[in-house]
Amino acid sequence: MSSVRKKLIAGNWKMNTNRSSAIQLASHVVASSVGSDNANLLICVPAIHLADVSKLVANSKVVLGAQDGHWLESGAFTGELSMSMLKDYQVEYVLVGHSERREMFADDNQRVALKFEAALKNGLTPILCIGETLQQREQSETLNVLISQCEAVVEQVGIQAFENACVAYEPIWAIGTGKTASPEQAQEVHNELRAWFEKQDSTIAAGLQILYGGSMNAGNAKELLSQADIDGGLIGGASLKADDFLDIYSAAG
Ligand code: 13P
């Protein structure tokens, strides 16, 4: 099931950088990135830097993303940001259901589905993050976990909504550990996931970008990205070094 799907190389800066280092990093990425027919470049920056970074990426090949957003439009939700607020700052993509949010901020499947829906309603492309723990993998629960994470969203928005969305497979045991899934391990999961989507709708499955995340770096990116069902990367640590991030982008072709 390989295809003409364009790759997406996405940086997730998480809660890193300060104002000046964010500007420096984004400027470096913007200045050094050349357009590619094969891959797009996205940076998901801390929300407080969106205003600065949106100016830097304007008219560049780099696209702006946010790391989370609330599912409601407005209201008494101290500390939260709505999807329409993000849209105001030229945000085009938003992560939903990152494992750090699921584990530390009580984002369950239902909440993630609502966030996914709210992103689409506001013209943002949601990147649905899914992944299993080490224990779940050892108990051969990987696919069941991933499917239930996807199913909750499909139930909320319908399969057609995935025409304007991406999925990021991020095994939790590989995040920030330096322990990446092998290309074969990742490809196996991506292929099974795509097969599950195919059962829902074959056209959607064929076009769906499924990114891999978890200790992707300049050294292992090429092999991971050359797998038939791996359509890009969601990169944490290595996205904080512009040259490493750009090397991953180059590895995507
Ligand atoms: P690392 O690349 O640091 O392992 O993080 C992956 C991740 O969680 C991206 O969202």
Side-chain angles (χ1 to χ4, degrees):
M1 270 190 274
S2 179
S3 72
V4 290
R5 289 183 299 275
K6 200 165 177 174
K7 298 228 188 303
L8 179 64
I9 302 303
N12 175 9
W13 293 4
K14 307 191 180 183
M15 196 175 74
N16 293 297
T17 66
N18 58 27
R19 190 174 188 188
S20 78
S21 66
I23 289 173
Q24 209 179 358
L25 178 55
S27 305
H28 191 150
V29 172
V30 165
S32 312
S33 61
V34 285
S36 154
D37 289 340
N38 303 322
N40 287 330
L41 203 48
L42 166 69
I43 49 178
C44 299
V45 310
I48 196 152
H49 302 318
L50 286 171
D52 286 325
V53 177
S54 71
K55 288 184 202 132
L56 294 170
V57 301
N59 306 315
S60 83
K61 301 288 179 194
V62 182
V63 175
L64 185 60
Q67 299 173 12
D68 189 37
H70 198 275
W71 61 93
L72 292 175
E73 190 52 37
S74 62
F77 301 100
T78 302
E80 290 292 305
L81 297 172
S82 72
M83 298 291 179
S84 64
M85 291 172 180
L86 301 175
K87 183 76 182 169
D88 257 354
Y89 285 87
Q90 289 76 50
V91 168
E92 293 184 44
Y93 285 79
V94 60
L95 306 181
V96 298
H98 192 282
S99 60
E100 286 150 17
R101 296 215 55 91
R102 290 180 191 262
E103 290 193 327
M104 293 184 270
F105 302 98
D107 275 10
D108 58 14
N109 278 343
Q110 179 56 21
R111 203 179 260 195
V112 171
L114 292 171
K115 290 182 175 191
F116 187 104
E117 183 175 40
L120 286 174
K121 271 193 187 144
N122 284 282
L124 302 178
T125 302
I127 300 180
L128 172 63
C129 303
I130 58 175
E132 84 285 6
T133 62
L134 185 58
Q135 195 188 23
Q136 288 164 336
R137 174 163 277 264
E138 285 170 351
Q139 293 170 347
S140 304
E141 280 296 310
T142 299
L143 200 60
N144 286 344
V145 169
L146 302 179
I147 287 174
S148 65
Q149 290 173 332
C150 292
E151 234 161 16
V153 179
V154 172
E155 273 166 27
Q156 180 70 28
V157 296
I159 186 67
Q160 292 307 321
F162 280 78
E163 192 177 351
N164 300 309
C166 306
V167 171
Y169 168 55
E170 299 202 296
I172 294 170
W173 47 271
I175 294 178
T177 57
K179 194 178 165 204
T180 184
S182 70
E184 297 73 27
Q185 268 177 327
Q187 164 59 21
E188 185 185 6
V189 172
H190 282 232
N191 181 262
E192 287 170 336
L193 269 175
R194 198 177 306 283
W196 182 81
F197 275 99
E198 181 139 47
K199 278 193 234 146
Q200 324 300 313
D201 186 300
S202 58
T203 310
I204 294 291
L208 183 64
Q209 286 174 313
I210 307 180
L211 319 183
Y212 169 78
S215 298
M216 190 184 271
N217 59 40
N220 60 28
K222 199 167 184 74
E223 227 191 321
L224 284 162
L225 293 169
S226 65
Q227 303 299 313
D229 290 290
I230 300 185
D231 308 311
L234 182 54
I235 300 122
S239 73
L240 296 170
K241 294 185 191 129
D243 289 335
D244 287 6
F245 186 54
L246 290 162
D247 282 348
I248 297 173
Y249 180 52
S250 305

